[in-house]
């Protein structure tokens, strides 16, 4: 399938839009029941200079990147929330494996060679639903976290780009917007991450989210839910800076006119996620250690809770050496590639639909 911007009618545009057309029908938006929603036809062409839009049977199609005035925040937040929940839900079993593979001294029954073997053994020995334990708290946190994340990113990206390189694309603006958006995302998501990872660990004593929340609150205090926040930011700020810059850079080549093109969003998202994930794995290992406090159960001379990134880095090195910083890198990359592909594809798809419908309502008034 071609990954072009859809400048001319062909498989790059028609074939890429087909999955979106099917999802739209499932959502009830593509029927002929007088909704006025028209999917771009394969012969609509580039839609004018600069990628402004394509022609449909109902008239010129609006550029979904140029959101209607007054609707940008709600559109980005809704699209981001849907993308976040779907991303985390679909990839949750792999996330469970990643958490276990990052264990510094796993029990013999929890030592895995690769992701597929890990999933098979977890399901066979602990039950089919074991890899999904903790999904409910993750989905609950992912919705608002990703809503803030994408809304902040889009707003800051536009504002900073206008200041730095008006009318063009600025990698500095993209990276800076991603870093600031991460502050809001992690503030909303960090408590859910703590609960999720404790429930994912091998031989976790927690069967329900409420049990885990109560135990952490009573035994370690409210601060335990944000013990890894600074490490999370230290990891996610470079992760998101790399991620957004790589995504926007790939979009310049795969989709230069910035039209809705599912294949380009998916490929750019997957590649950007893989690059950022591999580069920040050592920080993710430290974050997992801070969230799970695994060292408390190890036969080491460590006493008390592990607090702060420096303490976590020293502990990882003391227990496993340099190679310990890259525990679970395979699972992390395998998790992030489809995760970021799903997130960007779903986000751009819903942004496109919501923008078009709002534009049509404005025209109909």
């Amino acid at each position: 399938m071609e990954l072009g911007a859809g400048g001319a009618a062909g498989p790059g545009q028609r074939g890429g839009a087909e999955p979106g057309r099917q999802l739209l029908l499932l959502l009830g938006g593509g029927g002929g029941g007088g909704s006025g929603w028209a999917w771009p036809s394969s012969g609509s062409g580039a839609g004018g200079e600069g990628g402004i839009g394509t022609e449909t049977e109902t008239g010129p199609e609006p550029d979904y990147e140029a959101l209607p005035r007054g609707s940008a925040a709600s559109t980005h937040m809704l699209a981001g929330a849907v993308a976040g929940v779907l991303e985390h839900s679909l990839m949750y079993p792999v996330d469970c494996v990643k958490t276990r593979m990052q264990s510094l001294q796993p029990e013999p029954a929890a030592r895995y060679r690769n992701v597929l073997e890990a999933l098979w053994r977890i399901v066979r020995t602990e039950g089919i639903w074991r890899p999904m334990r903790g999904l409910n708290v993750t989905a609950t946190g992912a919705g608002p976290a990703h809503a803030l994340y994408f809304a902040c990113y889009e707003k800051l990206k536009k504002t900073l780009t206008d200041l730095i390189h008006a009318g063009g694309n600025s990698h500095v603006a993209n990276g800076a917007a991603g870093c600031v958006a991460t502050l809001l995302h992690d503030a909303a998501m960090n408590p859910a991450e703590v609960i999720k990872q404790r429930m994912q660990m091998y031989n976790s004593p927690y069967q329900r989210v409420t049990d885990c929340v109560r135990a952490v609150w009573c035994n370690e205090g409210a601060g335990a839910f944000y013990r890894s926040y600074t490490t999370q930011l230290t990891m996610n700020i470079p992760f998101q800076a790399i991620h957004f810059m790589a995504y926007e850079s790939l979009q310049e080549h795969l989709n230069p006119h910035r039209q809705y093109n599912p294949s380009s969003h998916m490929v750019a998202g997957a590649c950007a996620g893989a690059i950022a994930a591999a580069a920040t794995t050592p920080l993710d290992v430290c974050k997992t250690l801070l969230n799970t406090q695994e060292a408390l159960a190890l036969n080491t001379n460590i006493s008390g809770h592990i607090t702060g990134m420096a303490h976590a880095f020293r502990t990882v090195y003391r227990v496993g050496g340099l190679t310990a910083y890259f525990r679970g890198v395979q699972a992390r990359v395998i998790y992030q590639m489809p995760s970021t592909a799903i997130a960007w594809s779903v986000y751009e798809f819903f942004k496109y639909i919501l923008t078009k419908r709002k534009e049509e309502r404005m025209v109909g008034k």
Side-chain angles (χ1 to χ4, degrees):
M1 182 179 293
E2 294 181 11
L3 297 177
Q13 184 175 6
R14 177 86 176 170
E18 196 61 33
R21 186 197 300 271
Q22 294 169 0
L23 180 55
L24 179 63
L25 291 173
L26 292 175
L27 292 170
S35 66
W37 209 99
W39 194 273
S41 63
S42 60
S44 58
E49 295 182 5
I52 295 176
T54 57
E55 293 291 331
T56 68
E57 295 177 0
T58 58
E61 177 185 318
D63 176 10
Y64 86 107
E65 292 281 1
L67 296 176
R69 187 182 298 268
S71 69
S74 61
T75 299
H76 291 311
M77 291 184 79
L78 180 55
V82 173
V85 172
L86 285 177
E87 168 200 347
H88 284 279
S89 298
L90 292 174
M91 297 306 300
Y92 193 79
V94 181
D95 187 42
C96 177
V97 171
K98 177 184 74 72
T99 297
R100 293 194 180 193
M101 292 182 76
Q102 288 179 336
S103 176
L104 296 179
Q105 287 189 353
E107 296 187 31
R111 293 174 181 170
Y112 312 112
R113 291 191 298 269
N114 54 61
V115 175
L116 289 178
E117 186 222 9
L119 279 173
W120 168 246
R121 285 174 54 187
I122 291 171
V123 169
R124 183 167 54 86
T125 60
E126 302 176 53
I128 191 171
W129 295 110
R130 182 60 182 91
M132 305 302 290
R133 187 183 296 176
L135 174 60
N136 50 350
V137 71
T138 302
T140 302
H146 279 71
L148 293 171
Y149 174 70
F150 278 108
C152 178
Y153 171 71
E154 294 282 4
K155 176 64 176 176
L156 281 177
K157 181 181 76 169
K158 184 178 186 307
T159 302
L160 293 175
T161 298
D162 289 344
L163 292 174
I164 298 172
H165 187 195
N169 180 45
S170 169
H171 296 310
V172 174
N174 299 332
C179 292
V180 176
T182 300
L183 296 174
L184 296 177
H185 172 275
D186 288 358
M189 194 67 189
N190 210 85
E193 281 282 323
V194 173
I195 302 303
K196 175 200 76 173
Q197 291 199 306
R198 294 198 181 203
M199 297 184 73
Q200 288 174 331
M201 292 297 288
Y202 180 75
N203 273 345
S204 172
Y206 309 112
Q207 296 293 325
R208 296 194 300 269
V209 170
T210 52
D211 295 337
C212 188
V213 172
R214 189 181 301 111
V216 173
W217 182 280
C218 294
N219 298 332
E220 303 175 46
F225 293 106
Y226 282 93
R227 186 180 287 131
S228 65
Y229 182 58
T230 53
T231 301
Q232 182 97 339
L233 289 178
T234 305
M235 175 188 73
N236 279 345
I237 285 177
F239 176 91
Q240 298 301 350
I242 296 169
H243 171 208
F244 280 115
M245 287 190 289
Y247 178 80
E248 298 290 352
S249 178
L250 286 165
Q251 282 290 291
E252 284 186 345
H253 297 285
L254 302 177
N255 189 12
H257 296 298
R258 296 307 179 98
Q259 294 176 325
Y260 174 64
N261 188 322
S263 56
S264 72
H265 300 316
M266 185 172 295
V267 171
C271 293
I275 294 168
T280 57
T281 295
L283 294 166
D284 192 43
V285 171
C286 293
K287 182 209 73 173
T288 298
L289 177 60
L290 286 167
N291 280 344
T292 61
Q293 294 293 299
E294 180 199 1
L296 295 177
L298 301 179
N299 296 321
T300 66
N301 59 357
I302 300 171
S303 60
H305 298 297
I306 299 172
T307 56
M309 184 179 65
H311 193 180
F313 261 95
R314 290 195 302 270
T315 303
V316 171
Y317 182 76
R318 182 186 304 145
V319 174
L322 288 175
T323 58
Y325 290 113
F326 288 91
R327 284 183 181 270
V329 64
Q330 177 197 48
R332 179 164 163 78
V333 172
I334 290 174
Y335 169 78
Q336 286 293 345
M337 285 188 70
S339 289
T340 48
I342 291 168
W344 279 111
S345 299
V346 173
Y347 173 68
E348 299 283 6
F349 174 74
F350 275 91
K351 186 171 73 169
Y352 179 79
I353 290 177
L354 293 169
T355 301
K356 186 170 180 66
R357 287 184 171 176
K358 287 185 178 182
E359 185 74 17
E360 287 175 351
R361 284 199 296 269
M362 292 173 63
V363 172
K365 289 182 180 180

